[in-house]
Amino acid sequence: MKQKHIINLGIQIVPKSKNLDSYALVDKAIEVIQNSGVNHVVTPFETVMEGEQEELMKIAMDAQEAVLAAGAEEVLIYYRMQIRKNKDVYIVDKTGKYQ
């Protein structure tokens, strides 16, 4: 049986639209992440989420769909993940000392 661990998933969504403001489209993705309830940190270049990989990938897909539904013609999506074999990964362990 596969163990479920907490991971970090960074997602950068770059919407393409000829007529719509890209920041407003990115806001739609961030709204999905905020409403999901997972721990997350919004940065200027990506949003980092913390949780089980399967849950985070579903949230990422929902964020993608929200941007397309808001009018983007295309989206470029970049993922970065930190996964440990036998240990959870927490955002605070990496950045807590800077807050």
Side-chain angles (χ1 to χ4, degrees):
M1 185 166 122
K2 184 178 176 182
Q3 290 184 336
K4 293 187 176 184
H5 291 285
I6 302 299
I7 71 161
N8 285 176
L9 184 149
I11 182 171
Q12 179 186 38
I13 295 181
V14 181
K16 290 188 157 193
S17 174
K18 293 178 182 138
N19 302 316
L20 300 173
D21 178 63
S22 61
Y23 289 159
L25 292 168
V26 169
D27 286 344
K28 297 296 184 183
I30 294 170
E31 184 179 312
V32 168
I33 294 167
Q34 288 175 328
N35 290 338
S36 75
V38 298
N39 188 31
H40 66 281
V41 176
V42 177
T43 74
F45 293 104
E46 70 179 357
T47 299
V48 180
M49 299 183 285
E50 178 179 278
E52 293 181 0
Q53 183 174 354
E54 193 172 302
E55 176 187 22
L56 299 183
M57 290 305 294
K58 182 186 180 324
I59 294 166
M61 291 291 295
D62 291 346
Q64 166 191 313
E65 291 304 317
V67 172
L68 291 169
E73 288 99 28
E74 181 178 352
V75 292
L76 302 172
I77 303 173
Y78 304 94
Y79 295 107
R80 296 191 307 170
M81 293 187 272
Q82 181 181 5
I83 302 166
R84 292 186 178 141
K85 184 176 181 178
N86 294 311
K87 189 175 178 184
D88 293 331
V89 180
Y90 294 102
I91 295 169
V92 71
D93 293 340
K94 295 184 274 185
T95 61
K97 65 184 174 185
Y98 300 108
Q99 296 175 357

